């Protein structure tokens, strides 16, 4: 019984502790993070997974460019071999021949016996070391180094382009969330107005001032508005989770957006913009860098085809000839008399005749490079024409949105006045509910239209700045 009582007591204690821990945990989750648009971009630059992946890609190209000179490093190898002969065969007695040569050279025949009978196990073993170094040079290496550096320069442009596109998408999503948030506020205000009218109608119906049908109409209007608000709120939460994911925050983080959709107007002309900033386009710059790399690739292939390769090779092979046998070589590491050294040095100049043939893989690669150059030239021409289309489209959108913002600003003021007058008339009993709902719908449409045009203006301006790779606002 005592054990059972103790277990029950422990269970109650753990439950109490869990009850105390849950509020703290929920408080941590309910903590709200406030973000302006600049703070959101700064956070994304530090934590966005997409941007981190771009940084890794650029780092790979930077390292390849920085150490591209390593093609000039010699190939150095060191090895040690202990081999056992299964049976005596003069044609395979390389070590014995080397030993005999060393003994003859040093007049050691009378002092060190040459064992060729292989009667003992130890006599079947030999110890040989080897150190070799080779170095190859071809002028094509220089061109390959330049190719690596050109690819790094192209990578920097692609990295900057990806950075700009990601930041632009984050800004657009931020302003889109503000647009959704404003839409949600309007719907909640509409729902609250419907609730107040329903309560007022209930009071008037109980006092006998209005018929039951009028009260039921306000109730139906309120109930029909609730699902719209719930749907808009759910969509807003889902988009907020997507925004948190894009900037690198944990999904589910509660974020409060502190910026507003207030565009900074600019006076722009498409022809002047193209004349001044057309060459700033990062896509065009990236293609030009790729063209430079392709031209260097052609140079490298041509050099590899027509110029020879210079190879230097050196090999040093020490052989142990001590009388104690191959297993005891470590005892005489410092003795020059018990090691036989052989080595060689070679200098080779070689042409690859196969690469000179017109149908060889090397010559075909040159043709591929030339075709790639033509494709890149066509792509640049296409991008330049498309740039003109995009700039003109963005400028037209900016001009139209600015006019709409001015017109809709006036329209919101008129719709607000009309709604206020209709609401007073409805409270006085001189206006029907349907007229009030129409006035409210017109006001909501005017507000949403105004903020939507502001969003369109900001979005078009960001696209224009991204296309021209320049800042048009102060």
């Amino acid at each position: 019984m005592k054990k059972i009582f103790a277990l029950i007591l422990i269970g109650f204690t753990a439950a109490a502790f869990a009850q105390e821990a849950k509020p703290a945990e929920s408080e941590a989750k309910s903590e709200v993070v406030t973000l302006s648009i600049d703070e959101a971009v700064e956070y994304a630059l530090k934590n966005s997974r997409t941007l981190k992946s771009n940084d890794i890609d650029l780092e790979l190209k930077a390292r390849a460019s920085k150490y591209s000179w390593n093609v000039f490093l010699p190939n150095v190898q060191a090895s040690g071999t202990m081999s056992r002969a299964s049976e005596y065969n003069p044609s395979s007695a390389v070590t014995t021949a080397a030993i005999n040569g060393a003994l003859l050279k040093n007049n050691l025949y009378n002092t060190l016996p040459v064992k060729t009978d292989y009667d003992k196990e130890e006599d079947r073993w030999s110890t040989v070391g080897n150190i070799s170094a080779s170095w190859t040079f071809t002028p094509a290496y220089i061109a390959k180094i330049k190719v690596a550096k050109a690819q790094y320069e192209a990578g920097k442009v692609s990295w900057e382009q990806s950075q700009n596109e990601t930041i632009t998408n984050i800004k657009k999503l931020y302003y889109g969330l503000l647009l959704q948030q404003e839409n949600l506020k309007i719907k909640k205000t509409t729902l609250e107005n419907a609730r107040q009218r329903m309560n007022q109608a209930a009071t008037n119906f109980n006092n006998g001032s209005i018929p039951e049908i009028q009260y039921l109409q306000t109730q139906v209007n309120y109930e029909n508005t609730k699902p719209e608000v719930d749907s808009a709120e759910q969509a807003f939460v889902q988009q907020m989770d997507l925004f948190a994911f894009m900037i690198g925050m944990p999904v589910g983080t509660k974020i409060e957006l502190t910026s507003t959709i207030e565009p900074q107007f600019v006076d722009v002309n498409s022809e002047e913009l193209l004349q001044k900033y057309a060459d700033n386009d990062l896509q065009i710059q990236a293609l030009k860098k790729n063209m430079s790399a392709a031209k260097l690739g052609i140079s490298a292939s041509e050099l590899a085809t027509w110029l020879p390769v210079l190879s230097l090779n050196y090999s040093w092979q020490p052989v142990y000839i001590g009388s104690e046998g191959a297993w005891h070589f470590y005892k005489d590491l410092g003795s020059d008399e018990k090691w036989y050294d052989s080595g060689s040095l070679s200098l080779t100049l070689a042409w690859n005749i196969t690469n000179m043939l017109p149908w060889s893989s090397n010559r075909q690669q040159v043709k591929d490079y030339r075709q790639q150059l033509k494709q890149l030239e066509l792509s640049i021409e296409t991008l330049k024409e498309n740039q003109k289309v995009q700039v003109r489209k963005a400028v037209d959108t900016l001009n139209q949105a600015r006019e709409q913002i001015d017109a809709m600003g006036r329209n919101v003021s008129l719709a607000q006045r009309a709604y206020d007058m209709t609401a007073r008339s409805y409270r006085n009993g001189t206006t029907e509910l349907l007229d009030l709902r129409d006035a409210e719908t017109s006001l909501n449409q005017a507000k949403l239209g105004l903020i939507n045009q502001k969003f369109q203006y900001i979005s078009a301006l960001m696209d224009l700045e991204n296309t021209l790779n320049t800042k048009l606002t102060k």
Side-chain angles (χ1 to χ4, degrees):
M1 290 295 293
K2 289 182 179 179
K3 291 183 178 180
I4 295 175
F5 178 76
L7 290 173
I8 293 174
L9 182 61
I10 292 172
F12 276 115
T13 305
F17 179 78
Q19 293 276 343
E20 293 178 0
K22 282 182 181 177
E25 194 175 309
S26 62
E27 284 179 10
K29 287 185 178 179
S30 63
E31 184 179 354
V32 178
V33 179
T34 58
L35 284 178
S36 66
I37 188 161
D38 292 331
E39 291 170 341
V41 170
E42 183 180 357
Y43 189 92
L45 289 174
K46 296 178 181 177
N47 300 279
S48 172
R49 297 170 184 84
T50 301
L51 297 182
K52 286 181 179 179
S53 178
N54 295 338
D55 292 341
I56 293 174
D57 290 338
L58 183 62
E59 184 181 350
L60 292 173
K61 290 183 173 63
R63 191 167 64 251
S65 173
K66 183 178 180 181
Y67 297 105
S68 57
W69 56 267
N70 59 18
V71 293
F72 294 117
L73 290 176
N75 182 22
V76 179
Q77 292 183 339
S79 63
T81 304
M82 290 192 70
S83 61
R84 179 188 183 278
S86 59
E87 61 181 21
Y88 176 70
N89 186 346
S91 64
S92 63
V94 178
T95 303
T96 300
I99 294 173
N100 290 337
L103 295 175
L104 180 62
K105 178 181 178 182
N106 297 290
N107 295 319
L108 296 177
Y109 268 111
N110 298 325
T111 58
L112 293 176
V114 179
K115 300 180 179 182
T116 59
D117 53 0
Y118 285 79
D119 292 335
K120 298 179 181 180
E121 175 63 23
E122 188 173 342
D123 294 337
R124 295 176 178 269
W125 289 83
S126 62
T127 300
V128 181
N130 184 69
I131 296 177
S132 62
S134 61
W135 182 73
T136 304
F137 172 76
T138 172
Y141 285 167
I142 300 175
K144 288 181 179 180
I145 293 174
K146 292 181 179 180
V147 169
K149 295 187 180 300
Q151 289 175 344
Y152 171 57
E153 293 299 323
K156 288 198 294 186
V157 176
S158 299
W159 175 84
E160 185 179 357
Q161 180 185 350
S162 181
Q163 294 280 108
N164 291 347
E165 289 178 353
T166 303
I167 291 172
T168 299
N169 291 335
I170 289 172
K171 287 183 176 181
K172 283 185 177 182
L173 184 55
Y174 187 99
Y175 285 119
L177 285 168
L178 288 176
L179 180 61
Q180 277 188 281
Q181 185 174 263
E182 192 63 27
N183 181 34
L184 182 60
K185 287 181 181 178
I186 292 173
K187 288 185 178 297
K188 286 184 174 180
T189 301
T190 302
L191 180 63
E192 178 60 21
N193 292 339
R195 188 189 66 81
Q196 291 180 3
R197 286 194 294 267
M198 182 185 67
N199 293 339
Q200 182 64 40
T203 302
N204 294 339
F205 171 69
N206 292 331
N207 295 333
S209 303
I210 60 173
E212 183 179 7
I213 184 62
Q214 192 170 346
Y215 165 63
L216 291 176
Q217 287 175 345
T218 59
Q219 191 174 10
V220 170
N221 180 42
Y222 172 72
E223 295 296 335
N224 286 339
T225 308
K226 285 167 62 177
E228 296 179 9
V229 175
D230 293 339
S231 298
E233 193 163 14
Q234 183 181 9
F236 178 72
V237 170
Q238 291 173 349
Q239 286 297 102
M240 192 66 78
D241 286 341
L242 176 60
F243 178 72
F245 169 76
M246 284 188 64
I247 65 175
M249 279 189 175
V251 175
T253 303
K254 293 186 178 180
I255 302 174
E256 181 182 348
L257 308 177
T258 58
S259 297
T260 57
I261 304 183
E262 291 300 331
Q264 186 176 352
F265 297 113
V266 294
D267 294 322
V268 290
N269 179 275
S270 58
E271 298 301 327
E272 293 178 358
L273 290 174
L274 287 170
Q275 185 176 3
K276 191 174 182 180
Y277 302 111
D279 292 335
N280 289 2
D281 192 321
L282 290 175
Q283 285 183 294
I284 295 177
Q285 290 184 23
L287 290 179
K288 287 182 178 180
K289 296 290 184 181
N290 290 331
M291 286 185 65
S292 299
K295 290 177 181 178
L296 290 170
I298 292 175
S299 299
S301 297
E302 295 285 4
L303 291 172
T305 299
W306 305 110
L307 295 182
V309 176
L310 174 65
S311 297
L312 296 176
N313 295 277
Y314 174 74
S315 176
W316 175 55
Q317 187 180 60
V319 180
Y320 181 62
I321 56 176
S323 60
E324 297 186 19
W327 294 349
H328 302 281
F329 70 92
Y330 59 89
K331 295 181 180 180
D332 299 314
L333 289 176
S335 175
D336 294 337
E337 297 179 352
K338 297 185 178 182
W339 287 87
Y340 166 68
D341 297 339
S342 65
S344 64
L345 173 66
S346 64
L347 176 64
T348 304
L349 200 62
W351 279 266
N352 191 326
I353 304 300
T354 303
N355 285 341
M356 300 179 185
L357 300 175
W359 51 83
S360 66
S361 60
N362 198 57
R363 303 308 299 161
Q364 293 302 313
Q365 186 178 32
V366 172
K367 293 181 180 179
D368 291 342
Y369 277 128
R370 298 190 191 281
Q371 292 297 105
Q372 289 175 11
L373 282 175
K374 291 181 181 180
Q375 286 183 328
L376 289 171
E377 289 173 356
L378 291 173
S379 297
I380 290 176
E381 292 178 6
T382 303
L383 281 176
K384 287 183 176 180
E385 292 302 314
N386 183 61
Q387 183 190 60
K388 296 177 183 178
V389 174
Q390 296 301 323
V391 169
R392 287 189 172 90
K393 178 182 177 182
V395 170
D396 290 342
T397 302
L398 290 175
N399 294 333
Q400 183 182 12
R402 187 168 183 175
E403 293 176 359
Q404 292 291 332
I405 289 171
D406 295 337
M408 288 186 174
R410 295 189 296 268
N411 191 32
V412 169
S413 299
L414 294 174
Q416 185 67 54
R417 288 181 58 192
Y419 172 76
D420 293 340
M421 294 173 62
T422 306
R424 285 196 297 269
S425 298
Y426 177 77
R427 286 194 297 268
N428 295 331
T430 58
T431 300
E432 297 292 333
L433 175 62
L434 182 60
D435 296 331
L436 179 61
R437 290 175 59 186
D438 290 341
E440 186 176 42
T441 301
S442 299
L443 175 60
N444 291 341
Q445 289 177 345
K447 289 180 177 179
L448 286 175
L450 175 60
I451 194 171
N452 185 63
Q453 288 301 319
K454 289 181 177 180
F455 173 78
Q456 293 297 329
Y457 188 93
I458 293 174
S459 181
L461 183 58
M462 285 192 293
D463 287 338
L464 182 60
E465 290 179 338
N466 193 38
T467 299
L468 299 175
N469 189 32
T470 189
K471 192 73 175 175
L472 298 175
T473 55
K474 297 181 181 179

